[in-house]
Structures are given as C-alpha cells and as structure tokens.
Amino acid sequence: QVQLVESGGGSVQSGGSLRLSCAASGYPVSLCSMGWFRQDPRKEREGVAVIVRDGGTRTADSVKGRFTISRDNAKNTLDLQMNSLKPEDTAMYYCALIRSRLSWWSLFSPTAYPDWGQGTQVTVSA
C-alpha cells in the first residue's frame, strides 16, 4: 500500500523560499510518475510540477523558473524547491503518485492519480 507524507510547508514573505518534501513508502519513486499539486479553497486543484520514471520533469507556466521538482531515489522522496514565492502561491500542496505511463498533459490532471498525501500548507504574505 502506497503512503505519501508531505512536509516543509509554512509561512513566508513574498520573495522567500520553501522546500517541500514528500516521503513515499510502499513503492519506489524511481519506478513511477509523481506530481506536486496545489489547491486554494476557492479554486480547483491544479498541477504544479511532475516527474516521470526516466527523470524528465515539467512545471506549470505559473511557476516556471521559480519551482523545481526533484526526487531522491535513495531516500524515496519527492521534493519541490520553491523560490521567489508570491502571495498567489498560497495553497495546500499535495504530492501524488501513479504507476502507469501517461502523457505529460494527463500527468497534470489530478484525476489521473490514485495515491495522494494529506497535504502541507504554504502561505505567502505580501
């Protein structure tokens, strides 16, 4: 059974940085695709960044150049380095895992993922 546990959220001022981590158990992160998603209570959950089995990554246009997704196969963790944070980045951040191979487009859809963490809150003040 896959279990995902996020950590690293917090409150920062605009322009600050945070590093989120997602500890995975029950399945190797090196053998699947994983993504970071976020959700503001007033909006739908949106894909932020994804990484696939061969290590390729993609980020959403809204965070391109500021956020970087990576994984540590030895620790079985997924990370999200967030720099130059903006108030509009405020949301609950979730990591998700899928074992199937999908297109990049599909990997940014929350409905593609069967396994989710509980989320970690990120709050950016102006």
Side-chain angles (χ1 to χ4, degrees):
Q1 182 177 356
V2 173
Q3 185 174 14
L4 304 172
V5 179
E6 301 95 335
S7 61
S11 297
V12 296
Q13 290 189 329
S14 181
S17 298
L18 283 173
R19 187 175 184 88
L20 306 184
S21 186
C22 172
S25 60
Y27 201 80
V29 298
S30 60
L31 298 181
C32 62
S33 296
M34 297 189 71
W36 282 100
F37 292 78
R38 66 186 181 186
Q39 187 168 21
D40 182 288
R42 301 163 294 180
K43 301 178 182 178
E44 293 185 352
R45 190 169 297 190
E46 64 171 347
V48 174
V50 300
I51 185 168
V52 296
R53 181 170 176 167
D54 67 4
T57 64
R58 294 278 177 92
T59 52
D61 288 344
S62 58
V63 304
K64 199 176 296 291
R66 300 188 297 120
F67 290 13
T68 304
I69 188 172
S70 62
R71 70 183 183 212
D72 187 322
N73 294 342
K75 295 181 180 179
N76 216 44
T77 57
L78 177 76
D79 295 325
L80 184 69
Q81 178 64 44
M82 305 186 296
N83 299 327
S84 302
L85 283 161
K86 304 175 181 180
E88 51 263 43
D89 295 319
T90 295
M92 185 73 79
Y93 283 71
Y94 301 88
C95 66
L97 182 153
I98 181 170
R99 307 179 193 193
S100 305
R101 294 179 185 269
L102 296 176
S103 67
W104 285 111
W105 178 263
S106 297
L107 287 171
F108 275 89
S109 172
T111 59
Y113 293 80
D115 296 300
W116 291 85
Q118 83 290 345
T120 186
Q121 178 68 37
V122 171
T123 302
V124 185
S125 58

